[in-house]
Amino acid sequence: MFQHSRSNPHARARDGQAGFTLLELLVVMAIIGLLAGYVAPRYFAQIGKSEVKVAQAQLGAIEKAIEQYRLDTGHYPTQEQGLAALMKKPANETRWDGPYLKKDVPNDPWGRPFTYKVPGVRGDFDLISLGKDGAPGGTGEAADLSIN
């Protein structure tokens, strides 16, 4: 009838033999915090680099679509038509053979539309993403990305 406290799991908890001490929990939390402080900045830096690479890939795809539009029609989409002319035939365009992209013209990885200028400052047209900060100029992830 009498049960020894070692065979009863509830008795062990009352004796203080089971569980972790507050100090042990604090040490484990400190170690987790240090690891997170070391790993998190490296992880988020990689995310920023991948967003820049995605923006560059999108710029390249849109540039190819613009060039195909030019080959078909003999000119680039006008400033008024904008990039929408790649997906929907402009009213006065007889040689349009689009759509020139498989999906709608995407926003840049930061959720803003690409800027399209005809004529361009550096070429026949400019295609620009203002980077993470959404403002002209900048460095790193905030730098402007452009075609031409």
Side-chain angles (χ1 to χ4, degrees):
M1 286 256 303
F2 179 77
Q3 292 183 336
H4 191 271
S5 66
R6 298 253 184 242
S7 63
N8 185 347
H10 300 292
R12 278 193 304 210
R14 284 191 304 262
D15 290 340
Q17 299 295 321
F20 298 103
T21 66
L22 181 59
L23 181 61
E24 290 169 331
L25 291 174
L26 289 174
V27 167
V28 169
M29 298 216 13
I31 291 170
I32 291 172
L34 288 171
L35 287 173
Y38 179 74
V39 172
R42 295 177 189 275
Y43 173 75
F44 289 114
Q46 292 302 319
I47 289 175
K49 288 178 187 176
S50 67
E51 287 174 333
V52 169
K53 288 180 182 179
V54 166
Q56 290 170 336
Q58 288 175 322
L59 285 167
I62 296 169
E63 176 191 27
K64 288 176 185 168
I66 292 170
E67 289 296 338
Q68 186 62 50
Y69 180 99
R70 184 189 62 79
L71 289 172
D72 288 348
T73 63
H75 59 85
Y76 293 107
T78 66
Q79 187 71 40
E80 294 77 31
Q81 292 169 334
L83 296 176
L86 300 174
M87 296 304 298
K88 185 177 178 191
K89 180 180 179 181
N92 59 350
E93 204 58 68
T94 58
R95 298 186 321 182
W96 189 88
D97 193 28
Y100 296 96
L101 293 169
K102 290 182 180 181
K103 297 180 182 178
D104 286 339
V105 178
N107 286 335
D108 69 13
W110 302 281
R112 290 181 293 277
F114 289 97
T115 303
Y116 174 70
K117 295 180 183 176
V118 171
V121 175
R122 293 181 244 156
D124 294 326
F125 67 91
D126 289 340
L127 186 59
I128 303 166
S129 168
L130 296 177
K132 186 174 184 173
D133 64 353
T139 59
E141 295 173 29
D144 296 350
L145 303 168
S146 65
I147 297 292
N148 293 344

